[in-house]
Amino acid sequence: AVFAGCGQMNFKLLVPVLLALAVPLAVKRAHIPQHLLGHIALHQDDLIDAESGRKLNEILRQMGADEIGYPTNIAADLKTGVKKVQHRHVGEAKPVEADGSCSHHLLVRDGNSSDCILPQRIDVGKHFIMTGGPEAIREPYEDMISRVSSFGRYLFDLKELPVVEKLFENPKFLHFAKSVCPKDKQVLDPFQFNFILSVPGQTVALHLDSPYFLGATRFQVPQWLLAVMVFSGLFQDRFIDQVQVVGYLHDQMAVEDRSSGGLGKVSTS
């Protein structure tokens, strides 16, 4: 009788649990806009030649030692590349508190000004905090912010670095960029180069790279507003297509040679 009673009690406890689990499984999947579907991705070993890789590595280290360094990507573009934005906020700004903090947890101090504003990519950060990303990470708020706050340096004057300008002219580089672009959009106009550094434990949140429109770019309005403009579907007639080529810069021995104790083969890509 005791066994039957326990069994019956377990059943009563399990029913609401099973029902609760069934609810989210039955929820319709979020709609993914058409412009985010069907994109191809190509992979190429040794995209960056060894000599260019060496020069880029030197530049990377020199920048890390200067007065700017590599700020976190919460505001790296404003500190290193986009020094001036015509409209830094759209009305959400709040005065900095007496202790230098911001009155809302989603606001950050706008440089050395007396205002607190939404971070440039609040859309990316808030989505990651609320969902945990593809891995459904559940951590304290501060830890999740740190997990996606990589470090970066944004460059918009490519002529400052001849090795970068040369890289954009590399036939292999151009081939892969054009392979992703539609056949009727094969004219490329390089405009940006970034150094991004991540430490172990960090990840990249799902995001849409900063969009560009005729008359509205990261130099005119906050980037989160540009993302809203894309998803609204109201400004596609002024949308400017982009293509990104990502290269992973490293200089290390080949995996197969490490166990032998030899110097191994230097691989740069």
Side-chain angles (χ1 to χ4, degrees):
V2 174
F3 179 81
C6 290
Q8 191 175 33
M9 183 169 59
N10 287 342
F11 177 78
K12 289 180 180 179
L13 289 173
L14 281 173
V15 169
V17 174
L18 290 174
L19 291 177
L21 289 175
V23 172
L25 293 177
V27 173
K28 184 178 179 180
R29 183 175 180 178
H31 171 68
I32 301 177
Q34 189 63 37
H35 67 269
L36 294 182
L37 300 174
H39 293 273
I40 63 172
L42 302 174
H43 173 265
Q44 171 66 45
D45 289 328
D46 300 321
L47 176 66
I48 303 173
D49 64 89
E51 179 61 18
S52 295
R54 183 187 63 79
K55 292 180 179 179
L56 289 171
N57 206 314
E58 290 179 357
I59 294 171
L60 189 148
R61 294 173 185 276
Q62 291 169 3
M63 288 183 172
D66 66 21
E67 67 278 4
I68 299 175
Y70 293 94
T72 70
N73 273 317
I74 292 178
D77 59 329
L78 295 181
K79 294 180 179 179
T80 67
V82 186
K83 299 296 180 65
K84 184 178 180 180
V85 179
Q86 187 175 357
H87 305 286
R88 296 177 76 89
H89 63 85
V90 293
E92 81 281 3
K94 300 290 183 182
V96 174
E97 298 292 299
D99 62 356
S101 64
C102 295
S103 59
H104 193 281
H105 68 282
L106 292 181
L107 297 178
V108 296
R109 189 160 183 171
D110 183 17
N112 295 321
S113 76
S114 59
D115 289 332
C116 291
I117 63 174
L118 289 173
Q120 286 289 305
R121 297 315 305 263
I122 181 63
D123 55 311
V124 178
K126 185 178 180 182
H127 178 269
F128 180 75
I129 292 169
M130 293 180 66
T131 66
E135 298 176 338
I137 295 172
R138 292 293 179 266
E139 293 178 325
Y141 172 83
E142 293 79 7
D143 292 350
M144 296 191 77
I145 292 296
S146 294
R147 192 172 288 280
V148 291
S149 297
S150 57
F151 306 88
R153 191 80 169 247
Y154 291 69
L155 310 169
F156 292 90
D157 185 359
L158 305 183
K159 295 186 181 299
E160 288 185 0
L161 300 175
V163 63
V164 172
E165 190 174 24
K166 182 179 178 182
L167 185 62
F168 274 100
E169 298 171 352
N170 185 298
K172 184 188 297 185
F173 191 93
L174 290 173
H175 167 72
F176 276 91
K178 291 184 177 182
S179 296
V180 175
C181 297
K183 298 300 181 183
D184 60 340
K185 297 181 179 181
Q186 294 288 300
V187 178
L188 303 179
D189 183 16
F191 68 96
Q192 181 180 346
F193 181 83
N194 308 328
F195 281 115
I196 305 295
L197 284 76
S198 295
V199 300
Q202 288 189 318
T203 186
V204 178
L206 293 173
H207 66 282
L208 187 70
D209 282 348
S210 182
Y212 274 68
F213 295 87
L214 293 174
T217 72
R218 65 202 306 164
F219 295 93
Q220 279 83 40
V221 298
Q223 293 178 49
W224 61 262
L225 181 59
L226 296 173
V228 171
M229 291 173 65
V230 172
F231 284 96
S232 74
L234 300 176
F235 306 93
Q236 290 307 301
D237 60 327
R238 302 186 67 82
F239 182 75
I240 300 175
D241 294 284
Q242 297 181 47
V243 57
Q244 281 80 27
V245 179
V246 179
Y248 292 90
L249 188 65
H250 65 88
D251 187 359
Q252 58 183 6
M253 292 183 294
V255 175
E256 61 268 24
D257 292 336
R258 289 177 182 170
S259 60
S260 65
L263 292 177
K265 175 185 178 183
V266 175
S267 174
T268 306
S269 65

